[in-house]
Amino acid sequence: ARKRRRKRKAITAVVTVFVCLFVGAGVATAAFLDYVTNQLNHGDKTQEELDNIADVLSYHSNLTDPFYMMLLGSDARSGDSSMGARTDTNIVVRVDPLENQLTMISIPRDTKITIPGHGTCKFNAAYAYGGVPGVIRATNDLLGVEVAHYAEVNFDKLMELVDALGGVDV
């Protein structure tokens, strides 16, 4: 009887440890996924910036109909606003989920456009004057499309991405 109680206590202890490990791993995974989701959806943007971006995005996409996405590569650097910030890379992507097809077009940064209140400017100035919403508006006007989603990478994040992938030896 004593051996049975000892065996039962040992099994109970082992099961308790495994349950605690399982629950702990689940909580840690959920916290990590929440962090990643937050970074992907918000990055370093303030709530006001996110609201302004949401105002110009066309959320007509239900991921079954074709939609447009804007990919931006900005020269913004944290802690150095002396040069302002412009987009060096402006790529419009048409995503067609039904045909499993992506079509990409790059808008050259020196493309001449008219920015309200600033006159004729280069396309990359839309970011300097209006941030992401300014670029999306300029894209919609220039190409006659409605951008539904966007992604942005700046110098600091690009360096982090390169380092995460193993870096580049120079």
Side-chain angles (χ1 to χ4, degrees):
R2 193 174 199 180
K3 282 185 179 182
R4 248 190 272 163
R5 267 188 261 141
R6 211 181 273 177
K7 187 176 179 181
R8 196 176 322 152
K9 283 184 180 181
I11 290 172
T12 303
V14 168
V15 168
T16 301
V17 167
F18 278 121
V19 168
C20 289
L21 286 173
F22 183 74
V23 169
V27 168
T29 300
F32 175 73
L33 291 176
D34 183 56
Y35 170 77
V36 169
T37 300
N38 186 48
Q39 286 299 306
L40 287 173
N41 289 328
H42 301 111
D44 56 0
K45 302 280 187 216
T46 65
Q47 189 58 48
E48 181 181 358
E49 290 172 311
L50 293 171
D51 291 342
N52 291 336
I53 292 166
D55 288 343
V56 297
L57 287 176
S58 162
Y59 286 107
H60 301 155
S61 71
N62 55 10
L63 301 181
T64 57
D65 295 327
F67 63 91
Y68 292 92
M69 180 173 184
M70 188 80 202
L71 305 177
L72 304 174
S74 77
D75 62 3
R77 296 178 183 146
S78 62
D80 182 12
S81 59
S82 62
M83 300 278 296
R86 297 178 185 270
T87 53
D88 290 328
T89 304
N90 306 284
I91 299 174
V92 178
V93 182
R94 182 178 185 271
V95 180
D96 188 342
L98 299 176
E99 298 293 326
N100 290 326
Q101 184 177 21
L102 295 177
T103 307
M104 301 171 76
I105 184 170
S106 176
I107 301 173
R109 65 189 200 130
D110 293 336
T111 301
K112 297 290 184 196
I113 61 169
T114 301
I115 299 175
H118 300 284
T120 301
C121 301
K122 294 179 180 181
F123 187 86
N124 69 346
Y127 188 84
Y129 292 129
V132 173
V135 175
I136 292 170
R137 272 190 223 98
T139 301
N140 292 345
D141 292 344
L142 180 67
L143 301 179
V145 300
E146 291 185 0
V147 174
H149 304 281
Y150 93 100
E152 175 184 4
V153 176
N154 63 27
F155 271 17
D156 295 331
K157 297 301 178 186
L158 180 62
M159 287 188 296
E160 287 178 28
L161 177 63
V162 169
D163 289 345
L165 295 174
V168 176
D169 294 329
V170 179

